[in-house]
Amino acid sequence: MASSPDVPSAGNTPENAATGFSSDIPGTAGTATGGERRGRVRARRAAVMAVPATLIAAGLAVLTAQGALGVQFAISGMPFTVTATELKGTGFEQFGSLDNMADGSPNAGDSGGQVLVITSAIKNATLTKLCQSVDLGGTNLLIKAGGGKEKVSARDLTTDSTELSGDASFDNIEIGNDASTLTKAGVKGPIGVFSQQADTVRIARLRQTNYATTAGVFRLPGLKLSFSDSGC
């Protein structure tokens, strides 16, 4: 938001203007009466929001400061479920984020159109018996893939989740990194945000409640889309 311009004065130099503040400096230039003129001062204030988030993966708790978008699009605000009998990945990162709905979304409720999520980024991932479902109200849109010999594969995969569970194991894990310094998956979060990363990740009996998923490449062998009375 732009601030109102200062009333011109003899002391309102470019140096003063660059700081965003102006000083009350007496002067006579430009006045009919030679009286003292005062510049109006407006300061910009930035609010910092601290948001806690609990990560259910290998019993690790994650406390985040203000996050950033894990995905670069407005989410629908409708959560969807993702399950897999096994996920394996190389180059793993995780940090807190905020996803935003489109303005005026009917799914915003009392949230203000924002959802606190955990962003998980994996450079290369495979998933066995992937199932994804979204409740459309009375019926579920169901997607299944990777149930045969060939597994679902993804490159540069990110998921924004509110719940994540399973039996997890990590190789060379680092916990407590600043999200802006992550290196394993090529994704960086905001500075000052709690995060973790590892060389590899394996999660058996994966179950997620997601609001968004992105991938550079997403291959789904044996894809089957259908409607069902029940979800994943």
Side-chain angles (χ1 to χ4, degrees), residues 7-9 22-25 36-40:
V7 173
S9 69
S22 59
S23 303
D24 295 336
I25 301 177
E36 180 179 320
R37 302 184 63 185
R38 293 178 179 272
R40 289 181 300 169

Side-chain angles (χ1 to χ4, degrees), residues 56-58 85-87 164-170 201-207:
I56 308 172
T85 57
E86 184 182 57
L87 177 150
L164 188 158
S165 62
D167 298 323
S169 60
F170 305 90
V201 57
R202 177 184 179 272
I203 304 177
R205 291 178 290 278
L206 171 70
R207 187 174 189 87

Side-chain angles (χ1 to χ4, degrees), residues 49-139:
M49 177 178 66
V51 288
T54 302
L55 169 66
I56 308 172
L60 299 176
V62 177
L63 184 66
T64 73
Q66 182 178 11
L69 286 176
V71 292
Q72 299 300 319
F73 55 81
I75 63 171
S76 69
M78 297 176 65
F80 55 95
T81 299
V82 174
T83 64
T85 57
E86 184 182 57
L87 177 150
K88 286 185 176 180
T90 58
F92 172 79
E93 301 173 356
Q94 210 163 45
F95 55 90
S97 301
L98 285 174
D99 280 353
N100 291 268
M101 302 177 201
D103 291 341
S105 172
N107 299 319
D110 297 329
S111 69
Q114 290 187 321
V115 180
L116 178 64
V117 295
I118 292 294
T119 294
S120 302
I122 303 175
K123 188 64 179 177
N124 294 286
T126 59
L127 299 100
T128 304
K129 293 184 178 179
L130 173 70
C131 179
Q132 177 179 301
S133 64
V134 57
D135 187 349
L136 301 177
T139 189

